Amino acid sequence: MKPVELAKNVYWVGAIDWLTRDFHGYSTKRGTTYNAYLIVDEKITLIDTVKAPYRSELMHHIRAIIDPKKIDYLVVNHVEMDHSGSLPEVVKEIEPEKVICSKMGHKALLKHFHQEDWPYHIVTPGEELSLGEKTLNFLETRMLHWPDSMFTYIKEDQIVFSSDAFGQHLGTSERFDDEVNQDVLMYESTKYYANILTLYSPIVKKLIAQIEEMQLPIKMIAPDHGVIWRKNPGKIIDAYSRWCVNEGKGNALIIYDTMWESTRKMAKAIAEGLQEKGVSYKLLDLQVNHRSDVMTDVLDASAVILGCSTLNNGLLPRMAGFLMYMRGLRPTNILGAAFGSFGWSGEAVKLMNKSMQEMKFTMIHKGLRVQYVPEDVHLRECVELGHTVAEALEDLKAGKEVVSVE
Ligand code: FEO
């Protein structure tokens, strides 16, 4: 891969990671990229670096354009190791005049690399920095998704370097949105938002309002992962505007795990009830669906129905792990219900209910438990649970309030 020119004298010089399949618990089936950008001006500037093992790829790309020692400024939009792992070596090699970061970025850099003597230049939100022909502007984006995160903007080219925001874990030879399959691009963008940004939705909402208020002209959005939004940056901003308000599509997800098929039988009967009422649904067995793919569906779901057998007075481990993961991401505006089979103690339904209550789901059922193997009468109850969920969804659609059961 060669460096790619985004605009006159602005280059992508990052690295493509075709290997990674797990990003601390998020499955990255299509790999990812670590994007870094080089601006050649009177003051030559590198925006972000790459994960440590990819440093030589970054330097190779820079060398194809200039001698790295000529770099004056190094901008650190975000300190997480996938963008800063190579930083100590890069700083040593290029000896920049300034290491530019936010106030929180400075603190995070010190805590990561313990280098008091780097030539830090802490920027304040809205600060401008002239590079010669081009001017950089810095926008603090705390908690999107780390305290240190910031955006860098080239005023003359109207390019936003958005760090992790608006990215995708998508490792491809293509560098721009108009060069890749749109369905894949939007799926990976959705998955990225669902698994990294859902819990920061209120901050995303404020940021989008702020960008609109600033009337910031945006020709291109260049994130730190995946492709650059050159043809249609508005498409991903519109998508973020929708995702950050967690508006469901009126659909339901039945997310479950089973020991001896009983809970699966219950899941299918609930699905039948939803089907009878014309509700779009998905059956997501945690044995075959990765938690991060399931969370992608949760992002625009209106109802989540959880099913699990009881094991050793608790939950099956896959459901316990999924609940822990989902709770961290804090999805909102969701109707909830739980079901499951048990042998003698039957705590699973109670535990799932508790977890959904803690996530502030609107609970529309007290929970359905069946001992050992369901008979027709039990499966009928499951169908009815499907109907109950469908009716609550209908009420939501009609703008009626749906109240949690006690
Ligand atoms: Fe891609 Fe938060 O690092």
Side-chain angles (χ1 to χ4, degrees):
M1 186 86 201
K2 287 181 181 169
V4 175
E5 199 169 28
L6 281 68
K8 192 166 179 274
N9 292 329
V10 183
Y11 301 88
W12 174 90
V13 289
I16 304 169
D17 179 350
W18 299 96
L19 297 175
T20 194
R21 291 293 179 270
D22 183 284
F23 213 93
H24 36 71
Y26 167 163
S27 76
T28 48
K29 285 178 245 181
R30 292 185 169 96
T32 191
T33 71
Y34 311 109
N35 298 337
Y37 301 95
L38 186 74
I39 305 167
V40 180
D41 204 336
E42 283 168 35
K43 290 291 184 187
I44 299 176
T45 302
L46 178 64
I47 299 181
D48 293 322
T49 62
V50 294
K51 199 173 176 180
Y54 293 88
R55 182 182 57 87
S56 59
E57 211 166 309
L58 167 76
M59 299 315 284
H60 174 72
H61 288 149
I62 295 172
R63 266 187 217 104
I65 302 163
I66 48 135
D67 174 356
K69 288 211 175 292
K70 290 187 173 168
I71 293 173
D72 301 286
Y73 299 159
L74 206 167
V75 176
V76 181
N77 274 336
H78 178 30
V79 184
E80 193 166 4
M81 288 289 199
D82 48 334
H83 310 293
S84 72
S86 59
L87 199 60
E89 292 300 315
V90 172
V91 170
K92 204 188 278 176
E93 185 167 350
I94 68 178
E95 298 177 340
E97 184 186 321
K98 291 180 198 291
V99 172
I100 298 167
C101 56
S102 67
K103 186 178 161 194
M104 298 305 281
H106 178 232
K107 287 185 181 175
L109 284 170
L110 288 175
K111 294 278 183 194
H112 276 73
F113 305 111
H114 321 293
Q115 298 291 331
E116 298 278 350
D117 58 350
W118 283 358
Y120 298 107
H121 176 92
I122 300 166
V123 288
T124 50
E127 183 174 330
E128 285 196 348
L129 184 70
S130 173
L131 304 183
E133 289 189 4
K134 298 180 195 284
T135 316
L136 297 185
N137 195 301
F138 303 95
L139 179 65
E140 195 176 32
T141 55
R142 266 188 209 199
M143 297 319 299
L144 278 182
H145 68 130
W146 272 25
D148 54 274
S149 302
M150 68 174 189
F151 289 2
T152 299
Y153 178 69
I154 307 181
K155 223 166 148 180
E156 293 74 11
D157 297 313
Q158 301 175 357
I159 301 174
V160 181
F161 299 94
S162 61
S163 183
D164 277 333
F166 308 118
Q168 335 87 45
H169 284 311
L170 179 57
T172 63
S173 54
E174 289 73 31
R175 295 276 58 80
F176 296 101
D177 58 340
D178 50 290
E179 297 174 326
V180 296
N181 179 296
Q182 294 302 294
D183 292 340
V184 170
L185 174 60
M186 288 320 289
Y187 179 77
E188 293 300 343
S189 299
T190 311
K191 182 169 179 175
Y192 189 91
Y193 188 99
N195 286 279
I196 295 178
L197 295 171
T198 300
L199 72 161
Y200 303 118
S201 283
I203 301 171
V204 173
K205 198 174 169 186
K206 272 189 201 157
L207 175 75
I208 288 175
Q210 190 186 350
I211 290 174
E212 276 167 10
E213 201 183 303
M214 288 164 77
Q215 295 185 321
L216 199 67
I218 297 175
K219 243 188 213 164
M220 231 180 266
I221 298 176
D224 272 359
H225 296 290
V227 297
I228 297 155
W229 300 88
R230 126 180 117 176
K231 184 168 182 206
N232 198 355
K235 186 173 180 175
I236 191 65
I237 294 176
D238 288 349
Y240 271 47
S241 308
R242 288 194 309 277
W243 294 331
C244 71
V245 291
N246 293 103
E247 260 178 20
K249 286 182 175 167
N251 59 330
L253 305 176
I254 303 168
I255 303 166
Y256 71 96
D257 197 1
T258 189
M259 277 175 79
W260 295 108
E261 299 295 321
S262 291
T263 301
R264 182 174 286 122
K265 282 177 188 162
M266 294 176 77
K268 285 185 174 176
I270 294 167
E272 196 184 319
L274 292 167
Q275 178 95 42
E276 284 173 1
K277 296 286 182 181
V279 172
S280 173
Y281 69 88
K282 270 190 184 179
L283 272 171
L284 297 168
D285 187 327
L286 291 172
Q287 294 180 27
V288 294
N289 291 283
H290 192 275
R291 68 179 90 82
S292 56
D293 291 318
V294 175
M295 274 315 298
T296 310
D297 282 320
V298 170
L299 182 64
D300 53 17
S302 295
V304 166
I305 310 165
L306 297 177
C308 189
S309 330
T310 295
L311 173 72
N312 300 334
N313 306 108
L315 295 162
L316 289 170
R318 272 182 288 259
M319 178 55 77
F322 174 71
L323 280 174
M324 176 66 81
Y325 190 69
M326 179 161 68
R327 195 158 57 183
L329 289 164
R330 294 182 221 157
T332 55
N333 294 338
I334 294 182
L335 303 181
F339 65 97
S341 80
F342 68 102
W344 49 99
S345 57
E347 288 88 347
V349 167
K350 198 172 152 192
L351 290 168
M352 289 185 287
N353 274 344
K354 185 169 178 276
S355 188
M356 285 190 279
Q357 281 157 354
E358 284 167 3
M359 286 185 271
K360 304 207 179 332
F361 285 15
T362 303
M363 301 303 294
I364 50 173
H365 197 277
K366 287 185 174 177
L368 196 54
R369 300 188 318 155
V370 170
Q371 191 168 23
Y372 292 117
V373 178
E375 296 180 67
D376 282 351
V377 61
H378 302 123
L379 294 176
R380 191 64 226 159
E381 284 173 8
C382 292
V383 172
E384 279 161 18
L385 171 56
H387 292 171
T388 304
V389 173
E391 281 152 21
L393 287 170
E394 198 55 45
D395 285 348
L396 271 190
K397 199 172 158 190
K400 292 185 196 163
E401 191 188 1
V402 179
V403 180
S404 254
V405 294
E406 287 302 310

